[in-house]
Amino acid sequence: MEVRQGNRDIHVLADAAFSSKPFIQGVVDLGFQGFIGIPGNRTTTTGVQLKSLQKQGMKIELPDLLGIPIWVCWIWLKTKTGKEQRFVISTAPRSPANIRQTGKRRWKIEAFFKTLKSRFGFGRFGQHSKMGVLRYLRLSLLSYQICHFEHVDSQQEVTSCWPDWGALARTVRQKLCGWVRLSELKAELKALNDVLDAISII
């Protein structure tokens, strides 16, 4: 959610999982401006699917949201197999460029949480108490910050590329906790040598 300080407009950014009637109706009833992802197979009141629209920024109505004007745009996102078309609707009259720009912010937020989930432990979250949740969040966010600082320190020049968080995490782990792994390896090596020495004596 984004709050604009000038006129206090509240912008709600949401993905297609929140494109249901109760959610969009609630955003409008609260006076918020919604920029919400929506499946391309949704049909307008005229019977046209969104993916068949030809003009960006068109004003449409959805059958389950009669009386609520909606403006629709689409964005092409790069994927491993090529490009994928994503649709974004706005509950306020905005230019196509503004709708696309605001809608893109959501994917940056999603990329951040995906990184936290896959690289910094959010995917293995299993706490049940309030204190446990706070401790887990602090440790995860601290890990993220340390990796971010490592990324900033290692950059030769400023770039807009998303870093390889896996490689950064390995580098930080080796720098800060390498001695732990070395101690484990030394203990394992000593145990193996003891076993081999015992066998050679026999």
Side-chain angles (χ1 to χ4, degrees):
M1 185 177 291
E2 171 194 353
V3 179
R4 298 179 60 188
Q5 297 296 331
N7 53 9
R8 305 300 295 177
D9 290 340
I10 297 180
H11 295 173
V12 178
L13 307 182
D15 62 16
F18 295 91
S19 61
S20 63
K21 175 183 177 180
F23 183 83
I24 298 176
Q25 185 71 59
V27 169
V28 174
D29 291 344
L30 290 171
F32 300 159
Q33 297 184 9
F35 295 84
I36 303 164
I38 191 169
N41 59 2
R42 288 284 288 268
T43 304
T44 67
T45 52
T46 59
V48 179
Q49 288 189 340
L50 298 184
K51 60 185 177 183
S52 299
L53 296 176
Q54 301 296 322
K55 185 179 178 181
Q56 296 263 26
M58 287 185 61
K59 181 180 178 181
I60 63 170
E61 279 192 345
L62 298 176
D64 55 346
L65 291 167
L66 294 176
I68 298 179
I70 291 173
W71 290 261
V72 63
C73 282
W74 51 87
I75 301 167
W76 289 97
L77 294 180
K78 292 183 179 180
T79 63
K80 295 180 180 179
T81 57
K83 290 184 178 180
E84 183 178 346
Q85 191 177 23
R86 300 284 186 88
F87 290 86
V88 180
I89 58 173
S90 170
T91 60
R94 295 298 180 95
S95 67
N98 184 273
I99 296 175
R100 289 195 299 267
Q101 181 181 8
T102 307
K104 284 182 179 179
R105 295 176 184 171
R106 182 177 60 80
W107 282 288
K108 294 181 180 180
I109 297 171
E110 284 190 2
F112 171 73
F113 280 103
K114 184 177 180 181
T115 299
L116 288 179
K117 181 179 177 181
S118 60
R119 296 296 184 186
F120 298 101
F122 273 31
R124 295 182 293 275
F125 189 88
Q127 306 299 316
H128 299 287
S129 66
K130 181 178 179 180
M131 183 60 69
V133 170
L134 291 176
R135 288 173 177 170
Y136 197 93
L137 291 177
R138 287 173 181 170
L139 288 174
S140 296
L141 293 174
L142 178 62
S143 300
Y144 171 80
Q145 278 191 312
I146 293 173
C147 289
H148 170 70
F149 292 145
E150 173 65 25
H151 173 62
V152 173
D153 290 340
S154 62
Q155 274 190 310
Q156 300 297 326
E157 58 183 12
V158 178
T159 64
S160 59
C161 297
W162 194 252
D164 185 342
W165 293 106
L168 281 172
R170 287 191 294 272
T171 300
V172 170
R173 186 168 62 246
Q174 291 169 356
K175 283 185 176 182
L176 300 182
C177 305
W179 61 273
V180 176
R181 182 57 178 156
L182 284 176
S183 299
E184 293 175 346
L185 290 173
K186 287 179 181 179
E188 185 177 353
L189 182 61
K190 182 180 182 304
L192 287 172
N193 285 330
D194 290 343
V195 172
L196 293 176
D197 290 343
I199 293 176
S200 62
I201 292 175
I202 295 175

